Amino acid sequence: KNSDLGGGCSTMGTLSGGNNVKISIGENCLLGANSGLGIPIGNNCIIEAGLYLTGGSKITTYSSDNNIESIVKASQLAGKDNLLFIRNSQSGAIEVRINSKSVALNKTLHKN
């Protein structure tokens, strides 16, 4: 409900790497254009355009005060709410931060 899938984005199926994990997208989420998803995500999550997130992707996690907490596999974040997944443009590392914004769809554009 109220989620938006950007052009060219994709989700992994059970045969292409999801195994027994059902890849699902929560409410009020945004998958950026050409992004990919290999884990289920909870509500109010955003995946940056062009970022392909697999279960084995190494993710740098940050605390609420923007300090590095740890590095985890993306599968450890499966189903969690309020996450913003981005790629650091200088280091290339995948990072996750708390998503404090909410996705609001344009009702006119999304009525179909």
Side-chain angles (χ1 to χ4, degrees):
K1 180 178 176 186
N2 294 324
S3 290
D4 190 31
L5 307 179
C9 75
S10 64
T11 59
M12 291 179 104
T14 55
L15 296 177
S16 61
N19 298 320
N20 62 348
V21 176
K22 179 180 175 185
I23 308 303
S24 60
I25 299 167
E27 295 183 6
N28 304 311
C29 291
L30 172 63
L31 268 65
N34 299 312
S35 65
L37 190 59
I39 63 167
I41 56 174
N43 298 323
N44 200 41
C45 291
I46 297 174
I47 310 293
E48 176 184 70
L51 177 61
Y52 207 110
L53 191 61
T54 66
S57 296
K58 300 291 186 175
I59 312 288
T60 303
T61 65
Y62 285 82
S63 62
S64 58
D65 56 354
N66 284 326
N67 290 317
I68 293 177
E69 277 189 343
S70 62
I71 297 176
V72 299
K73 286 185 175 182
S75 59
Q76 292 178 259
L77 302 172
K80 297 194 183 222
D81 297 333
N82 304 308
L83 299 178
L84 169 66
F85 293 92
I86 58 174
R87 184 171 301 277
N88 184 305
S89 63
Q90 293 180 335
S91 69
I94 302 173
E95 301 176 348
V96 65
R97 298 179 186 267
I98 301 300
N99 181 25
S100 58
K101 299 178 182 179
S102 63
V103 174
L105 296 181
N106 180 318
K107 299 286 186 199
T108 304
L109 293 174
H110 291 88
K111 68 181 177 180
N112 294 325

